[in-house]
Amino acid sequence: LAKTTQPISMDSYEGQEVNITCSHNNIATNDYITWYQQFPSQGPRFIIQGYKTKVTNEVASLFIPADRKSSTLSLPRVSLSDTAVYYCLSPAQGSGAGSYQLTFGKGTKLSVIP
Amino acid sequence: KAGVTQTPRYLIKTRGQQVTLSCSPISGHRSVSWYQQTPGQGLQFLFEYFSETQRNKGNFPGRFSGRQFSNSRSEMNVSTLELGDSALYLCASSPWSGSGGLLSPLHFGNGTRLTVT
């Protein structure tokens, strides 16, 4: 079971690049890392997923070093609307044979300041 | 495509009662999972259904149960409600469950806010 650890909270000014790092020391060989974003009173929203090196989409970039013991979500030029909780996840073996589940922690609460 | 729909949006129940929450997944999605979110415990996995079969279950008491219908719609039931069951209940759907260490991205609804008095 891969456990992830990330900062509880972060503050950033508008227009800055924000990097949120997550550690997952015992990640399994085949496991991907997934990040979700959640706004108040809404369900989480999938942001990005990766296995190693760098993945980029229209919203964010994900950096995973060669040892895969950590990953960094990078949000370029944040705006006030990026204020949310960000979750770093890796899959865990589920109770059913061949099944997997995502375990959400408390996430990182990002506050963007004007 | 319509997103994941959860009904009702808000619910107030009395301790000891039971409640049923409903979730309509995105069309074509066969996997539906349920989560409980509270300020103290964060987001906790309840269970997952795939093609009408419960594939996965979290660490919740038997008072929490669910089912999935042939059209992939899912319901979650909580019996003998306790004050501690007050939470935001989230449903998520995905086209498939997972393979190896790669999980299909989840699409969440906006939840049902349950208050137990």
Side-chain angles (χ1 to χ4, degrees), chain B residues 62-101:
Chain B
R63 298 186 298 107
F64 292 82
S65 63
R67 58 178 176 168
Q68 186 180 32
F69 302 95
S70 58
N71 61 359
S72 293
R73 192 177 70 83
S74 178
E75 287 182 347
M76 189 193 96
N77 185 78
V78 187
S79 62
T80 320
L81 285 166
E82 300 176 0
L83 296 179
D85 297 332
S86 294
L88 179 67
Y89 289 89
L90 291 159
C91 164
S93 75
S94 62
W96 44 282
S97 184
S99 177

Side-chain angles (χ1 to χ4, degrees), chain A residues 5-91:
Chain A
T5 304
Q6 53 184 123
I8 294 174
S9 64
M10 292 181 69
D11 293 336
S12 176
Y13 287 101
E14 268 191 299
Q16 289 189 328
E17 177 184 74
V18 170
N19 295 310
I20 306 174
T21 297
C22 172
S23 76
H24 27 81
N25 291 322
N26 59 340
I27 188 171
T29 303
N30 295 328
D31 286 351
Y32 280 66
I33 294 297
T34 310
W35 285 79
Y36 282 80
Q37 173 194 56
Q38 185 178 25
F39 298 111
S41 298
Q42 292 185 24
R45 181 175 74 109
F46 171 84
I47 302 176
I48 197 166
Q49 181 171 254
Y51 182 75
K52 63 180 179 181
T53 61
K54 178 182 176 181
V55 179
T56 298
N57 62 22
E58 64 279 2
V59 176
S61 295
L62 179 60
F63 300 91
I64 303 174
D67 65 7
R68 302 197 339 111
K69 293 185 184 300
S70 67
S71 60
T72 299
L73 175 73
S74 182
L75 305 172
R77 298 180 298 282
V78 294
S79 64
L80 296 177
S81 63
D82 292 316
T83 293
V85 178
Y86 292 82
Y87 297 94
C88 162
L89 308 157
S90 66

Side-chain angles (χ1 to χ4, degrees), chain B residues 3-81:
Chain B
V4 176
T5 304
Q6 290 188 247
T7 56
R9 190 77 174 90
Y10 300 94
L11 205 50
I12 299 175
K13 288 288 188 179
T14 303
R15 193 170 46 184
Q17 288 186 314
Q18 76 165 16
V19 67
T20 299
L21 311 182
S22 181
C23 172
S24 294
I26 291 173
S27 177
H29 286 192
R30 296 168 64 190
S31 172
V32 174
S33 51
W34 289 88
Y35 292 80
Q36 180 195 65
Q37 186 168 34
T38 59
Q41 299 297 321
L43 255 170
Q44 292 186 286
F45 173 78
L46 279 156
F47 30 67
E48 183 216 353
Y49 286 85
F50 185 82
S51 294
E52 301 179 67
T53 301
Q54 186 181 85
R55 274 174 56 98
N56 218 340
K57 191 176 189 303
N59 296 323
F60 277 81
R63 298 186 298 107
F64 292 82
S65 63
R67 58 178 176 168
Q68 186 180 32
F69 302 95
S70 58
N71 61 359
S72 293
R73 192 177 70 83
S74 178
E75 287 182 347
M76 189 193 96
N77 185 78
V78 187
S79 62
T80 320
L81 285 166

